[in-house]
Amino acid sequence: MRMLIFITSLLLVSNIFAQNQKEVYIIGTMHTVPKIVKNSYKPLLKNAKAYSPDAIYVERVRAEDTLSLQNYYPRFLHFSDSIRTVFTIDESRFDRLMDKDLRAMNKEEFEYLKICFIVKRNYANHQYYKYLEAYGLDGSPEPTRNENGDITAKLAIAQNMKYIYSMDDQKENPQYAKAWRTCAEEGKENGNEKAAGKLVKKLTVKDIFSGLSASLGKQINSAKSIEQMHLLNSFEYVTVATEACSDGNRYWDNRNYSMVKNIAEQVRELPHQKNIVIVGAGHVYGMKEAFEKYHPDIKVRLMSECRQRREDEKEYAAR
């Protein structure tokens, strides 16, 4: 009897923990896509809306990360510093607008917040309110061909969100770029270029057919594609290890770990239960590993795993 009570209590606690456990749902993107596959993000937006997140995290540098801003958005950083000399934020007005329902706001208010976020060095929300100023709550009638317009902004509008969370880290961007160039140059002689070409060919062939059927976004998020893009970006495809390739692998892993750390810190601090992460597909595999290794208290979900689970459930129900 005592054992039965113990097991029942354990199951009850486990169920409560599972219900209260915060989670991140990672969706991989292709950043900007060509016109021929301009509708590729529609299935991903539909999927993201179905998830109905409480918060959105995007591959943008955080406002307080000055080094990353200098490395990746130097023009924006300079622009922000210039605007600060001629524009002073009315913090009380800013707070009132941030408390106001998104659906009750007008173009002038969107413009004001856009400028405020420039001054605050918040690139992600500067871009969001720039989009709202240009297209309003209906969004762009034509695909922008970039995840920030076709997924992030439209998802935020659908969820009535006023703020988007940044999580990128570009502190080692110059070093990674140098390692990439050197490793690629060496690959022409040692055979690594041929190994990379095989992976790229596999991805390209799949992407062509998927793109023509407007399912490129789904294909990019398949378990196989995510793994292949990880191999390319992390230099794990190489058959001949070199110092540059090893350096590139370390910088790539460091960036994934830092992005995950930035997300985890905010997820724990904020009240949101369901958090969606919209990031370049090459990061998905590494970020999942980093979450599971360093932040096991946060549940990780991938689009490919959710699709497989739904397919398994359908197959089971049909029996």
Side-chain angles (χ1 to χ4, degrees), residues 84-124:
R84 287 182 179 195
T85 63
V86 296
F87 182 88
T88 301
I89 298 175
D90 181 343
E91 293 293 348
S92 61
R93 183 186 180 191
F94 176 83
D95 291 340
R96 287 197 303 272
L97 289 178
M98 291 305 293
D99 287 337
K100 189 173 181 179
D101 191 292
L102 181 68
R103 293 163 293 195
M105 296 181 69
N106 57 44
K107 184 174 181 178
E108 180 185 354
E109 292 169 329
F110 292 147
E111 181 185 17
Y112 184 78
L113 288 178
K114 178 193 72 174
I115 299 172
C116 288
F117 282 117
I118 295 174
V119 174
K120 291 176 180 288
R121 294 182 174 179
N122 190 315
Y123 191 81

mmCIF file of all heavy atoms in Angstrom, residues 84-124:
data_model
loop_
_atom_site.group_PDB
_atom_site.id
_atom_site.type_symbol
_atom_site.label_atom_id
_atom_site.label_comp_id
_atom_site.label_asym_id
_atom_site.label_seq_id
_atom_site.Cartn_x
_atom_site.Cartn_y
_atom_site.Cartn_z
ATOM 1 N N ARG A 84 21.270 59.417 -30.988
ATOM 2 C CA ARG A 84 21.277 59.785 -29.567
ATOM 3 C C ARG A 84 21.639 61.255 -29.345
ATOM 4 O O ARG A 84 21.227 61.848 -28.342
ATOM 5 C CB ARG A 84 22.281 58.906 -28.806
ATOM 6 C CG ARG A 84 21.847 57.481 -28.606
ATOM 7 C CD ARG A 84 22.865 56.710 -27.806
ATOM 8 N NE ARG A 84 22.439 55.330 -27.583
ATOM 9 C CZ ARG A 84 22.985 54.517 -26.687
ATOM 10 N NH1 ARG A 84 23.981 54.960 -25.927
ATOM 11 N NH2 ARG A 84 22.550 53.286 -26.569
ATOM 12 N N THR A 85 22.403 61.815 -30.257
ATOM 13 C CA THR A 85 22.836 63.202 -30.084
ATOM 14 C C THR A 85 21.726 64.200 -30.401
ATOM 15 O O THR A 85 21.809 65.371 -30.014
ATOM 16 C CB THR A 85 24.052 63.507 -30.986
ATOM 17 O OG1 THR A 85 23.667 63.374 -32.369
ATOM 18 C CG2 THR A 85 25.209 62.566 -30.679
ATOM 19 N N VAL A 86 20.685 63.764 -31.097
ATOM 20 C CA VAL A 86 19.622 64.695 -31.510
ATOM 21 C C VAL A 86 18.229 64.271 -31.043
ATOM 22 O O VAL A 86 17.258 65.002 -31.240
ATOM 23 C CB VAL A 86 19.603 64.854 -33.048
ATOM 24 C CG1 VAL A 86 20.898 65.483 -33.532
ATOM 25 C CG2 VAL A 86 19.366 63.518 -33.735
ATOM 26 N N PHE A 87 18.133 63.093 -30.425
ATOM 27 C CA PHE A 87 16.818 62.586 -30.029
ATOM 28 C C PHE A 87 16.889 62.066 -28.602
ATOM 29 O O PHE A 87 17.733 61.236 -28.266
ATOM 30 C CB PHE A 87 16.378 61.462 -30.970
ATOM 31 C CG PHE A 87 15.008 60.902 -30.670
ATOM 32 C CD1 PHE A 87 13.872 61.468 -31.230
ATOM 33 C CD2 PHE A 87 14.857 59.810 -29.818
ATOM 34 C CE1 PHE A 87 12.608 60.948 -30.953
ATOM 35 C CE2 PHE A 87 13.605 59.289 -29.534
ATOM 36 C CZ PHE A 87 12.480 59.866 -30.103
ATOM 37 N N THR A 88 15.982 62.561 -27.764
ATOM 38 C CA THR A 88 15.889 62.104 -26.378
ATOM 39 C C THR A 88 14.571 61.376 -26.177
ATOM 40 O O THR A 88 13.499 61.914 -26.504
ATOM 41 C CB THR A 88 15.969 63.291 -25.388
ATOM 42 O OG1 THR A 88 17.207 63.978 -25.600
ATOM 43 C CG2 THR A 88 15.889 62.798 -23.954
ATOM 44 N N ILE A 89 14.645 60.181 -25.677
ATOM 45 C CA ILE A 89 13.431 59.383 -25.474
ATOM 46 C C ILE A 89 12.609 59.936 -24.318
ATOM 47 O O ILE A 89 13.135 60.209 -23.237
ATOM 48 C CB ILE A 89 13.789 57.915 -25.183
ATOM 49 C CG1 ILE A 89 14.525 57.290 -26.371
ATOM 50 C CG2 ILE A 89 12.546 57.101 -24.846
ATOM 51 C CD1 ILE A 89 15.009 55.880 -26.109
ATOM 52 N N ASP A 90 11.324 60.108 -24.573
ATOM 53 C CA ASP A 90 10.373 60.424 -23.514
ATOM 54 C C ASP A 90 9.998 59.076 -22.889
ATOM 55 O O ASP A 90 9.140 58.361 -23.414
ATOM 56 C CB ASP A 90 9.146 61.127 -24.106
ATOM 57 C CG ASP A 90 8.115 61.502 -23.053
ATOM 58 O OD1 ASP A 90 8.172 60.944 -21.934
ATOM 59 O OD2 ASP A 90 7.235 62.326 -23.357
ATOM 60 N N GLU A 91 10.666 58.726 -21.807
ATOM 61 C CA GLU A 91 10.503 57.391 -21.229
ATOM 62 C C GLU A 91 9.068 57.118 -20.778
ATOM 63 O O GLU A 91 8.592 55.982 -20.854
ATOM 64 C CB GLU A 91 11.477 57.189 -20.058
ATOM 65 C CG GLU A 91 12.937 57.144 -20.461
ATOM 66 C CD GLU A 91 13.306 55.920 -21.298
ATOM 67 O OE1 GLU A 91 12.472 54.975 -21.375
ATOM 68 O OE2 GLU A 91 14.421 55.897 -21.855
ATOM 69 N N SER A 92 8.378 58.135 -20.294
ATOM 70 C CA SER A 92 6.993 57.930 -19.857
ATOM 71 C C SER A 92 6.107 57.596 -21.066
ATOM 72 O O SER A 92 5.233 56.731 -20.986
ATOM 73 C CB SER A 92 6.472 59.161 -19.130
ATOM 74 O OG SER A 92 6.473 60.301 -19.982
ATOM 75 N N ARG A 93 6.351 58.297 -22.187
ATOM 76 C CA ARG A 93 5.585 57.992 -23.407
ATOM 77 C C ARG A 93 5.952 56.599 -23.916
ATOM 78 O O ARG A 93 5.076 55.841 -24.344
ATOM 79 C CB ARG A 93 5.875 59.037 -24.487
ATOM 80 C CG ARG A 93 5.051 58.805 -25.754
ATOM 81 C CD ARG A 93 5.431 59.751 -26.878
ATOM 82 N NE ARG A 93 4.621 59.482 -28.064
ATOM 83 C CZ ARG A 93 4.856 60.001 -29.258
ATOM 84 N NH1 ARG A 93 5.874 60.841 -29.442
ATOM 85 N NH2 ARG A 93 4.074 59.697 -30.283
ATOM 86 N N PHE A 94 7.230 56.274 -23.868
ATOM 87 C CA PHE A 94 7.679 54.953 -24.310
ATOM 88 C C PHE A 94 6.983 53.862 -23.495
ATOM 89 O O PHE A 94 6.469 52.885 -24.053
ATOM 90 C CB PHE A 94 9.205 54.838 -24.156
ATOM 91 C CG PHE A 94 9.751 53.481 -24.492
ATOM 92 C CD1 PHE A 94 10.015 53.127 -25.808
ATOM 93 C CD2 PHE A 94 10.005 52.544 -23.485
ATOM 94 C CE1 PHE A 94 10.522 51.872 -26.123
ATOM 95 C CE2 PHE A 94 10.509 51.292 -23.789
ATOM 96 C CZ PHE A 94 10.768 50.951 -25.114
ATOM 97 N N ASP A 95 6.947 54.027 -22.187
ATOM 98 C CA ASP A 95 6.313 53.031 -21.316
ATOM 99 C C ASP A 95 4.824 52.912 -21.611
ATOM 100 O O ASP A 95 4.269 51.808 -21.615
ATOM 101 C CB ASP A 95 6.530 53.394 -19.850
ATOM 102 C CG ASP A 95 7.986 53.251 -19.421
ATOM 103 O OD1 ASP A 95 8.742 52.539 -20.112
ATOM 104 O OD2 ASP A 95 8.369 53.856 -18.399
ATOM 105 N N ARG A 96 4.165 54.058 -21.837
ATOM 106 C CA ARG A 96 2.726 54.024 -22.138
ATOM 107 C C ARG A 96 2.470 53.256 -23.435
ATOM 108 O O ARG A 96 1.531 52.450 -23.517
ATOM 109 C CB ARG A 96 2.164 55.439 -22.261
ATOM 110 C CG ARG A 96 2.017 56.190 -20.942
ATOM 111 C CD ARG A 96 1.090 57.389 -21.088
ATOM 112 N NE ARG A 96 1.550 58.304 -22.125
ATOM 113 C CZ ARG A 96 2.412 59.299 -21.928
ATOM 114 N NH1 ARG A 96 2.920 59.503 -20.709
ATOM 115 N NH2 ARG A 96 2.761 60.107 -22.912
ATOM 116 N N LEU A 97 3.294 53.499 -24.433
ATOM 117 C CA LEU A 97 3.112 52.821 -25.718
ATOM 118 C C LEU A 97 3.390 51.325 -25.603
ATOM 119 O O LEU A 97 2.705 50.508 -26.227
ATOM 120 C CB LEU A 97 4.017 53.445 -26.784
ATOM 121 C CG LEU A 97 3.640 54.846 -27.251
ATOM 122 C CD1 LEU A 97 4.637 55.362 -28.277
ATOM 123 C CD2 LEU A 97 2.229 54.850 -27.845
ATOM 124 N N MET A 98 4.382 50.964 -24.801
ATOM 125 C CA MET A 98 4.693 49.550 -24.636
ATOM 126 C C MET A 98 3.616 48.818 -23.843
ATOM 127 O O MET A 98 3.493 47.592 -23.922
ATOM 128 C CB MET A 98 6.053 49.376 -23.960
ATOM 129 C CG MET A 98 7.237 49.801 -24.829
ATOM 130 S SD MET A 98 7.299 48.965 -26.446
ATOM 131 C CE MET A 98 7.646 47.270 -25.950
ATOM 132 N N ASP A 99 2.819 49.574 -23.075
ATOM 133 C CA ASP A 99 1.704 48.989 -22.323
ATOM 134 C C ASP A 99 0.423 48.960 -23.148
ATOM 135 O O ASP A 99 -0.539 48.283 -22.785
ATOM 136 C CB ASP A 99 1.448 49.779 -21.035
ATOM 137 C CG ASP A 99 2.520 49.527 -19.988
ATOM 138 O OD1 ASP A 99 3.175 48.471 -20.054
ATOM 139 O OD2 ASP A 99 2.719 50.393 -19.110
ATOM 140 N N LYS A 100 0.414 49.698 -24.240
ATOM 141 C CA LYS A 100 -0.782 49.809 -25.072
ATOM 142 C C LYS A 100 -0.967 48.561 -25.928
ATOM 143 O O LYS A 100 -0.004 47.941 -26.374
ATOM 144 C CB LYS A 100 -0.654 51.042 -25.974
ATOM 145 C CG LYS A 100 -1.919 51.411 -26.734
ATOM 146 C CD LYS A 100 -1.723 52.739 -27.461
ATOM 147 C CE LYS A 100 -2.983 53.152 -28.211
ATOM 148 N NZ LYS A 100 -2.806 54.455 -28.896
ATOM 149 N N ASP A 101 -2.204 48.177 -26.150
ATOM 150 C CA ASP A 101 -2.495 47.026 -26.998
ATOM 151 C C ASP A 101 -1.998 47.289 -28.416
ATOM 152 O O ASP A 101 -2.256 48.350 -28.979
ATOM 153 C CB ASP A 101 -4.005 46.749 -27.018
ATOM 154 C CG ASP A 101 -4.331 45.414 -27.659
ATOM 155 O OD1 ASP A 101 -4.133 45.277 -28.881
ATOM 156 O OD2 ASP A 101 -4.789 44.510 -26.940
ATOM 157 N N LEU A 102 -1.281 46.337 -28.972
ATOM 158 C CA LEU A 102 -0.714 46.492 -30.312
ATOM 159 C C LEU A 102 -1.782 46.847 -31.340
ATOM 160 O O LEU A 102 -1.565 47.686 -32.228
ATOM 161 C CB LEU A 102 -0.007 45.194 -30.730
ATOM 162 C CG LEU A 102 0.659 45.198 -32.110
ATOM 163 C CD1 LEU A 102 1.860 46.134 -32.126
ATOM 164 C CD2 LEU A 102 1.077 43.780 -32.495
ATOM 165 N N ARG A 103 -2.953 46.237 -31.210
ATOM 166 C CA ARG A 103 -4.018 46.422 -32.197
ATOM 167 C C ARG A 103 -4.645 47.810 -32.132
ATOM 168 O O ARG A 103 -5.402 48.200 -33.025
ATOM 169 C CB ARG A 103 -5.093 45.341 -31.998
ATOM 170 C CG ARG A 103 -4.596 43.939 -32.336
ATOM 171 C CD ARG A 103 -5.461 42.857 -31.767
ATOM 172 N NE ARG A 103 -5.403 42.824 -30.298
ATOM 173 C CZ ARG A 103 -5.836 41.801 -29.566
ATOM 174 N NH1 ARG A 103 -6.330 40.721 -30.156
ATOM 175 N NH2 ARG A 103 -5.777 41.839 -28.259
ATOM 176 N N ALA A 104 -4.341 48.559 -31.082
ATOM 177 C CA ALA A 104 -4.891 49.914 -30.939
ATOM 178 C C ALA A 104 -3.894 50.983 -31.354
ATOM 179 O O ALA A 104 -4.170 52.178 -31.248
ATOM 180 C CB ALA A 104 -5.334 50.142 -29.498
ATOM 181 N N MET A 105 -2.719 50.574 -31.852
ATOM 182 C CA MET A 105 -1.666 51.531 -32.170
ATOM 183 C C MET A 105 -1.750 52.000 -33.621
ATOM 184 O O MET A 105 -2.337 51.335 -34.483
ATOM 185 C CB MET A 105 -0.302 50.914 -31.891
ATOM 186 C CG MET A 105 -0.086 50.583 -30.422
ATOM 187 S SD MET A 105 1.552 49.887 -30.082
ATOM 188 C CE MET A 105 2.588 51.327 -30.384
ATOM 189 N N ASN A 106 -1.139 53.171 -33.892
ATOM 190 C CA ASN A 106 -1.160 53.728 -35.241
ATOM 191 C C ASN A 106 0.258 53.882 -35.793
ATOM 192 O O ASN A 106 1.247 53.617 -35.092
ATOM 193 C CB ASN A 106 -1.896 55.075 -35.265
ATOM 194 C CG ASN A 106 -1.270 56.086 -34.305
ATOM 195 O OD1 ASN A 106 -0.051 56.231 -34.230
ATOM 196 N ND2 ASN A 106 -2.115 56.798 -33.546
ATOM 197 N N LYS A 107 0.353 54.318 -37.027
ATOM 198 C CA LYS A 107 1.637 54.429 -37.720
ATOM 199 C C LYS A 107 2.596 55.381 -37.015
ATOM 200 O O LYS A 107 3.800 55.109 -36.914
ATOM 201 C CB LYS A 107 1.401 54.888 -39.159
ATOM 202 C CG LYS A 107 2.659 54.934 -40.006
ATOM 203 C CD LYS A 107 2.334 55.267 -41.455
ATOM 204 C CE LYS A 107 3.596 55.277 -42.299
ATOM 205 N NZ LYS A 107 3.297 55.542 -43.737
ATOM 206 N N GLU A 108 2.086 56.489 -36.511
ATOM 207 C CA GLU A 108 2.933 57.462 -35.817
ATOM 208 C C GLU A 108 3.563 56.847 -34.571
ATOM 209 O O GLU A 108 4.743 57.084 -34.269
ATOM 210 C CB GLU A 108 2.111 58.687 -35.435
ATOM 211 C CG GLU A 108 2.918 59.761 -34.712
ATOM 212 C CD GLU A 108 2.066 60.913 -34.225
ATOM 213 O OE1 GLU A 108 0.850 60.937 -34.539
ATOM 214 O OE2 GLU A 108 2.594 61.776 -33.506
ATOM 215 N N GLU A 109 2.788 56.040 -33.860
ATOM 216 C CA GLU A 109 3.304 55.390 -32.652
ATOM 217 C C GLU A 109 4.333 54.317 -33.003
ATOM 218 O O GLU A 109 5.330 54.144 -32.292
ATOM 219 C CB GLU A 109 2.132 54.814 -31.852
ATOM 220 C CG GLU A 109 1.246 55.903 -31.262
ATOM 221 C CD GLU A 109 -0.053 55.367 -30.708
ATOM 222 O OE1 GLU A 109 -0.575 54.362 -31.240
ATOM 223 O OE2 GLU A 109 -0.566 55.962 -29.734
ATOM 224 N N PHE A 110 4.089 53.608 -34.090
ATOM 225 C CA PHE A 110 5.080 52.632 -34.556
ATOM 226 C C PHE A 110 6.396 53.330 -34.892
ATOM 227 O O PHE A 110 7.474 52.843 -34.559
ATOM 228 C CB PHE A 110 4.565 51.891 -35.795
ATOM 229 C CG PHE A 110 3.399 50.978 -35.534
ATOM 230 C CD1 PHE A 110 2.420 50.784 -36.499
ATOM 231 C CD2 PHE A 110 3.279 50.298 -34.329
ATOM 232 C CE1 PHE A 110 1.353 49.936 -36.282
ATOM 233 C CE2 PHE A 110 2.202 49.450 -34.088
ATOM 234 C CZ PHE A 110 1.234 49.270 -35.070
ATOM 235 N N GLU A 111 6.292 54.477 -35.539
ATOM 236 C CA GLU A 111 7.499 55.220 -35.917
ATOM 237 C C GLU A 111 8.258 55.689 -34.677
ATOM 238 O O GLU A 111 9.495 55.611 -34.626
ATOM 239 C CB GLU A 111 7.139 56.424 -36.783
ATOM 240 C CG GLU A 111 8.356 57.227 -37.220
ATOM 241 C CD GLU A 111 7.985 58.496 -37.971
ATOM 242 O OE1 GLU A 111 6.810 58.921 -37.882
ATOM 243 O OE2 GLU A 111 8.876 59.060 -38.627
ATOM 244 N N TYR A 112 7.525 56.153 -33.677
ATOM 245 C CA TYR A 112 8.183 56.635 -32.459
ATOM 246 C C TYR A 112 8.942 55.493 -31.768
ATOM 247 O O TYR A 112 10.097 55.656 -31.365
ATOM 248 C CB TYR A 112 7.157 57.236 -31.501
ATOM 249 C CG TYR A 112 7.792 57.829 -30.260
ATOM 250 C CD1 TYR A 112 8.417 59.072 -30.300
ATOM 251 C CD2 TYR A 112 7.793 57.136 -29.048
ATOM 252 C CE1 TYR A 112 9.027 59.614 -29.176
ATOM 253 C CE2 TYR A 112 8.389 57.666 -27.915
ATOM 254 C CZ TYR A 112 9.012 58.911 -27.988
ATOM 255 O OH TYR A 112 9.623 59.440 -26.874
ATOM 256 N N LEU A 113 8.302 54.337 -31.669
ATOM 257 C CA LEU A 113 8.964 53.201 -31.029
ATOM 258 C C LEU A 113 10.153 52.719 -31.861
ATOM 259 O O LEU A 113 11.174 52.295 -31.307
ATOM 260 C CB LEU A 113 7.968 52.062 -30.818
ATOM 261 C CG LEU A 113 6.931 52.302 -29.714
ATOM 262 C CD1 LEU A 113 5.959 51.146 -29.620
ATOM 263 C CD2 LEU A 113 7.604 52.533 -28.367
ATOM 264 N N LYS A 114 10.030 52.807 -33.166
ATOM 265 C CA LYS A 114 11.145 52.432 -34.041
ATOM 266 C C LYS A 114 12.381 53.271 -33.720
ATOM 267 O O LYS A 114 13.489 52.731 -33.569
ATOM 268 C CB LYS A 114 10.754 52.629 -35.508
ATOM 269 C CG LYS A 114 11.866 52.317 -36.493
ATOM 270 C CD LYS A 114 11.536 52.836 -37.891
ATOM 271 C CE LYS A 114 11.623 54.355 -37.962
ATOM 272 N NZ LYS A 114 11.450 54.855 -39.342
ATOM 273 N N ILE A 115 12.172 54.571 -33.568
ATOM 274 C CA ILE A 115 13.295 55.473 -33.249
ATOM 275 C C ILE A 115 13.824 55.196 -31.850
ATOM 276 O O ILE A 115 15.037 55.186 -31.617
ATOM 277 C CB ILE A 115 12.855 56.942 -33.390
ATOM 278 C CG1 ILE A 115 12.426 57.243 -34.825
ATOM 279 C CG2 ILE A 115 13.986 57.880 -32.971
ATOM 280 C CD1 ILE A 115 11.797 58.607 -35.005
ATOM 281 N N CYS A 116 12.915 54.939 -30.914
ATOM 282 C CA CYS A 116 13.343 54.638 -29.534
ATOM 283 C C CYS A 116 14.246 53.415 -29.503
ATOM 284 O O CYS A 116 15.266 53.398 -28.795
ATOM 285 C CB CYS A 116 12.126 54.405 -28.641
ATOM 286 S SG CYS A 116 11.182 55.903 -28.256
ATOM 287 N N PHE A 117 13.901 52.401 -30.272
ATOM 288 C CA PHE A 117 14.700 51.183 -30.253
ATOM 289 C C PHE A 117 16.033 51.360 -30.983
ATOM 290 O O PHE A 117 16.995 50.634 -30.697
ATOM 291 C CB PHE A 117 13.894 50.008 -30.816
ATOM 292 C CG PHE A 117 12.908 49.445 -29.839
ATOM 293 C CD1 PHE A 117 11.541 49.485 -30.098
ATOM 294 C CD2 PHE A 117 13.338 48.899 -28.636
ATOM 295 C CE1 PHE A 117 10.630 48.980 -29.188
ATOM 296 C CE2 PHE A 117 12.436 48.394 -27.716
ATOM 297 C CZ PHE A 117 11.079 48.434 -27.986
ATOM 298 N N ILE A 118 16.099 52.322 -31.894
ATOM 299 C CA ILE A 118 17.406 52.663 -32.472
ATOM 300 C C ILE A 118 18.294 53.227 -31.380
ATOM 301 O O ILE A 118 19.454 52.825 -31.220
ATOM 302 C CB ILE A 118 17.259 53.698 -33.613
ATOM 303 C CG1 ILE A 118 16.491 53.108 -34.791
ATOM 304 C CG2 ILE A 118 18.639 54.173 -34.075
ATOM 305 C CD1 ILE A 118 16.185 54.121 -35.883
ATOM 306 N N VAL A 119 17.747 54.182 -30.625
ATOM 307 C CA VAL A 119 18.506 54.816 -29.538
ATOM 308 C C VAL A 119 18.918 53.779 -28.496
ATOM 309 O O VAL A 119 20.027 53.826 -27.951
ATOM 310 C CB VAL A 119 17.675 55.939 -28.883
ATOM 311 C CG1 VAL A 119 18.387 56.501 -27.661
ATOM 312 C CG2 VAL A 119 17.402 57.050 -29.895
ATOM 313 N N LYS A 120 18.059 52.816 -28.232
ATOM 314 C CA LYS A 120 18.335 51.783 -27.236
ATOM 315 C C LYS A 120 19.226 50.671 -27.777
ATOM 316 O O LYS A 120 19.506 49.699 -27.085
ATOM 317 C CB LYS A 120 17.013 51.191 -26.726
ATOM 318 C CG LYS A 120 16.184 52.150 -25.881
ATOM 319 C CD LYS A 120 14.852 51.525 -25.498
ATOM 320 C CE LYS A 120 14.014 52.478 -24.639
ATOM 321 N NZ LYS A 120 14.559 52.614 -23.281
ATOM 322 N N ARG A 121 19.654 50.798 -29.021
ATOM 323 C CA ARG A 121 20.530 49.808 -29.690
ATOM 324 C C ARG A 121 19.863 48.442 -29.806
ATOM 325 O O ARG A 121 20.532 47.409 -29.864
ATOM 326 C CB ARG A 121 21.860 49.667 -28.950
ATOM 327 C CG ARG A 121 22.732 50.908 -28.981
ATOM 328 C CD ARG A 121 24.051 50.644 -28.270
ATOM 329 N NE ARG A 121 24.973 51.775 -28.402
ATOM 330 C CZ ARG A 121 26.182 51.832 -27.859
ATOM 331 N NH1 ARG A 121 26.615 50.799 -27.144
ATOM 332 N NH2 ARG A 121 26.958 52.884 -28.028
ATOM 333 N N ASN A 122 18.557 48.432 -29.843
ATOM 334 C CA ASN A 122 17.805 47.183 -29.918
ATOM 335 C C ASN A 122 17.424 46.940 -31.380
ATOM 336 O O ASN A 122 16.389 47.391 -31.856
ATOM 337 C CB ASN A 122 16.556 47.275 -29.034
ATOM 338 C CG ASN A 122 15.866 45.945 -28.872
ATOM 339 O OD1 ASN A 122 15.674 45.212 -29.820
ATOM 340 N ND2 ASN A 122 15.483 45.640 -27.638
ATOM 341 N N TYR A 123 18.288 46.207 -32.085
ATOM 342 C CA TYR A 123 18.123 46.026 -33.527
ATOM 343 C C TYR A 123 16.870 45.226 -33.873
ATOM 344 O O TYR A 123 16.148 45.563 -34.811
ATOM 345 C CB TYR A 123 19.353 45.326 -34.103
ATOM 346 C CG TYR A 123 19.408 45.327 -35.607
ATOM 347 C CD1 TYR A 123 19.861 46.439 -36.307
ATOM 348 C CD2 TYR A 123 19.007 44.214 -36.349
ATOM 349 C CE1 TYR A 123 19.911 46.453 -37.691
ATOM 350 C CE2 TYR A 123 19.052 44.219 -37.724
ATOM 351 C CZ TYR A 123 19.502 45.339 -38.397
ATOM 352 O OH TYR A 123 19.540 45.340 -39.772
ATOM 353 N N ALA A 124 16.595 44.176 -33.124
ATOM 354 C CA ALA A 124 15.451 43.319 -33.424
ATOM 355 C C ALA A 124 14.137 44.095 -33.382
ATOM 356 O O ALA A 124 13.305 43.999 -34.298
ATOM 357 C CB ALA A 124 15.394 42.155 -32.444
#
